[in-house]
Amino acid sequence: MTDLAVRTEGLQRAFGRHQVIRGLDLAVPRGSVYGFLGRNGAGKTTTLRMLMGILNPDAGTMTLGDRTVRRTTPKMREDVGYVSQQQHFYPWMKVKRLGSFVGAFYKRWDKARFLELCGRLAIDPAQRVGELSGGTRMKLAMALALAHRPPLMVLDEPTAGVDPVTRREILDLLRAMVDDEGVTVLFSTHQIGEVEAIGTHVGVLHDGRMFWQGPVGELGDRVRRVSQAPEGVTALHTDEQGTVVWGEPEVVATLPDAAPISLEEAFVAIARQDRRP
């Protein structure tokens, strides 16, 4: 058994002539909360859909758990709880009936756990799905994804468009699943604060490749804002406040007039750079 729950090597995907993923090497440690960052159109959703077998990669391999494949199989998906950006439920179904319907696709479906998760997330099992708010529908998707006790959760912007209370409920649930049950979480997001709040690891996708990935705290050790970029570091982005530079921690820490920056500032500098990594 490897210490990685998810790994991709040389993953590629194009849509027509547009190359979206250009050789992605993703490494998600077991038991981690991995925040997957990138601009709109960077390829985060495409990557997650390839991991789930919804899209086929043009090249490269994917490893989920202990199996390495070119395409994820239905059997492998039984060990993954997947939450997509948009939920497509039968609006006429009641929540409890929807749970029974979805549960038929999973050998390890736990009806009691599903109902417990509904109670925890303030979802009424007797309510019709079509009557639920957008935020409650996302919480329902979380309950459905967790009810079969998957060791891996893959979530595509799970808090997009929800109110702050719902966002906190979702993040708290994810953190609890990691702490209490050892679940691994891979989630894409535009909310940098979410990665800072619950993330243990972060990966920054830029120009179809992984610019950097590792523990959240180490990202800040590699970036600083300086008045002028000296030799030995890479200038990412320059504005009226100075230049954000990237380099090895032991080099960046010794730069004259260097100032630490936030995770959000670091991500913006990486995302706005013109050069390819």
Side-chain angles (χ1 to χ4, degrees), residues 108-265:
R108 300 195 307 271
W109 182 263
D110 188 333
K111 178 181 178 181
R113 178 179 170 88
F114 173 67
L115 294 176
E116 184 272 326
L117 286 167
C118 285
R120 182 172 182 170
L121 294 170
I123 306 168
D124 182 0
Q127 192 167 8
R128 296 187 187 277
V129 174
E131 299 171 350
L132 302 178
S133 67
T136 303
R137 287 165 64 90
M138 181 56 74
K139 291 192 293 184
L140 174 58
M142 293 283 298
L144 291 168
L146 284 164
H148 65 289
R149 300 183 183 276
L152 171 66
M153 289 287 291
V154 174
L155 307 103
D156 193 3
E157 298 194 36
T159 62
V162 304
D163 63 74
V165 174
T166 300
R167 176 179 292 114
R168 176 49 57 186
E169 289 176 324
I170 291 173
L171 296 180
D172 287 347
L173 178 61
L174 290 175
R175 183 75 263 176
M177 293 299 104
V178 174
D179 293 342
D180 299 340
E181 302 183 20
V183 174
T184 302
V185 175
L186 167 61
F187 74 108
S188 69
T189 181
H190 286 112
Q191 302 290 335
I192 311 299
E194 294 178 359
V195 179
E196 293 177 310
I198 69 168
T200 61
H201 291 71
V202 61
V204 183
L205 185 63
H206 177 66
D207 197 35
R209 299 181 178 90
M210 187 65 73
F211 179 86
W212 186 85
Q213 61 184 332
V216 172
E218 290 185 11
L219 179 58
D221 295 335
R222 292 177 174 270
V223 289
R224 291 290 188 275
R225 186 184 295 279
V226 297
S227 57
Q228 187 173 0
E231 293 184 6
V233 297
T234 300
L236 295 179
H237 179 68
T238 300
D239 55 29
E240 63 277 2
Q241 295 176 302
T243 299
V244 176
V245 298
W246 174 273
E248 294 299 320
E250 58 271 19
V251 175
V252 173
T254 63
L255 295 179
D257 77 345
I261 62 176
S262 67
L263 179 61
E264 180 171 355
E265 289 176 303

Side-chain angles (χ1 to χ4, degrees), residues 68-103:
T68 300
V69 295
R70 286 292 302 272
R71 181 177 183 181
T72 304
T73 65
K75 184 172 180 58
M76 294 171 68
R77 288 198 294 271
E78 290 182 6
D79 290 327
V80 183
Y82 176 56
V83 178
S84 63
Q85 283 184 351
Q86 297 181 340
Q87 309 308 318
H88 300 285
F89 299 138
Y90 295 116
W92 51 268
M93 274 190 177
K94 293 185 178 181
V95 169
K96 187 176 181 179
R97 176 69 182 90
L98 178 63
S100 299
F101 174 78
V102 173

